[in-house]
């Protein structure tokens, strides 16, 4: 899947996040509802979590011999 196919979903996610700021503004302490640094930090954190969720199982699977895995089934 190409990366360009994810851009519309990214735009929808950012738009949805901005729409929910009115609801979340009362829950925030000492931070603005549309603080760009907070938005960027959360996006970076979620990206790191997604990358770790992909990398860790792939690394474990790469250490398994394919013939052993096929014989196991």
């Amino acid at each position: 899947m190409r990366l360009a196919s994810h851009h519309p979903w990214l735009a929808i996610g950012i738009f949805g996040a901005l729409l929910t700021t009115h609801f979340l503004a009362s829950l925030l302490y000492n931070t603005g509802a549309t603080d760009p640094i907070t938005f960027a930090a959360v996006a970076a954190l979620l990206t790191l979590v997604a990358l770790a969720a992909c990398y860790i199982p792939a690394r474990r699977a790469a250490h398994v011999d394919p013939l052993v895995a096929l014989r196991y089934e």
Side-chain angles (χ1 to χ4, degrees), residues 26-38:
S26 63
L27 301 175
L28 298 173
Y29 176 73
N30 208 10
T31 304
T34 56
D35 183 25
I37 295 173
T38 304

Side-chain angles (χ1 to χ4, degrees), residues 2 4 10-11 13 15 23 25 32 34 36 39 50 52 54-55 64-65 67:
R2 293 182 336 182
L10 181 65
F15 181 70
F23 170 70
T34 56
F39 266 86
C54 294
Y55 175 73
V64 175
D65 184 27
L67 291 176

Side-chain angles (χ1 to χ4, degrees), residues 10-72:
L10 181 65
I12 290 170
I14 291 173
F15 181 70
L18 289 173
L19 284 178
T20 60
T21 56
H22 296 292
F23 170 70
L24 296 176
S26 63
L27 301 175
L28 298 173
Y29 176 73
N30 208 10
T31 304
T34 56
D35 183 25
I37 295 173
T38 304
F39 266 86
V42 169
L45 177 67
L46 290 176
T47 301
L48 287 174
V49 168
L51 287 174
C54 294
Y55 175 73
I56 293 171
R59 193 183 83 198
R60 289 184 67 199
H63 290 288
V64 175
D65 184 27
L67 291 176
V68 173
L70 289 173
R71 285 187 195 131
Y72 180 75

